[in-house]
Amino acid sequence: ILSQIDGTDTQIKKNFSYINRKNPNYFLATYNHASYLANTNQLDLAIAYYQMVYKKVEDKSMKLMAHASCGLLYERKNEFQQAVEEYENVLNYVCLLYTSPSPRDS
């Protein structure tokens, strides 16, 4: 598991890419397991799992949720600089669109 988390093994990276293409729900299960770890106060391991999700998954909404979850866990650990970095990463996936009111809106 540790070599999967830190991404040092090239074959494991290839396996994760293959699994993600064949079964995108795999990363959803990984995300859910990270949530379980966080709820049982295994914060460091939960962070590692969330990081694995946002490093490996292609879906932007899952990347956003994983970065935000890491930020919350870093806050719980009082590691505020890391929390800010995660929240800044969230901004990479958020687009705010402002449009002036349309005459149809009135």
Side-chain angles (χ1 to χ4, degrees):
I1 292 272
L2 291 177
S3 62
Q4 293 173 350
I5 292 170
D6 68 19
T8 55
D9 185 354
T10 304
Q11 187 58 45
I12 289 173
K13 287 182 183 179
K14 289 179 183 177
N15 290 344
F16 272 114
S17 295
Y18 176 79
I19 290 168
N20 188 34
R21 284 193 308 276
K22 296 295 182 184
N23 184 8
N25 293 330
Y26 175 79
F27 285 108
L28 183 58
T30 303
Y31 183 89
N32 288 337
H33 185 65
S35 299
Y36 164 78
L37 293 169
N39 289 333
T40 57
N41 288 320
Q42 299 178 61
L43 302 183
D44 290 328
L45 194 53
I47 288 170
Y49 271 81
Y50 283 130
Q51 289 172 338
M52 182 171 55
V53 169
Y54 71 63
K55 289 177 184 176
K56 308 288 185 185
V57 76
E58 295 174 11
D59 182 76
K60 290 182 180 180
S61 62
M62 282 199 69
K63 285 180 179 285
L64 182 146
M65 292 188 314
H67 279 295
S69 297
C70 279
L72 291 171
L73 294 180
Y74 280 127
E75 280 189 56
R76 283 175 58 186
K77 292 177 60 174
N78 293 323
E79 296 178 9
F80 298 110
Q81 182 59 40
Q82 290 90 338
V84 168
E85 290 172 12
E86 293 295 345
Y87 293 140
E88 287 174 346
N89 285 319
V90 167
L91 296 176
N92 291 328
Y93 303 103
V94 177
C95 174
L96 299 176
L97 178 62
Y98 174 79
T99 56
S100 58
S102 165
R104 292 172 290 180
D105 294 337
S106 46

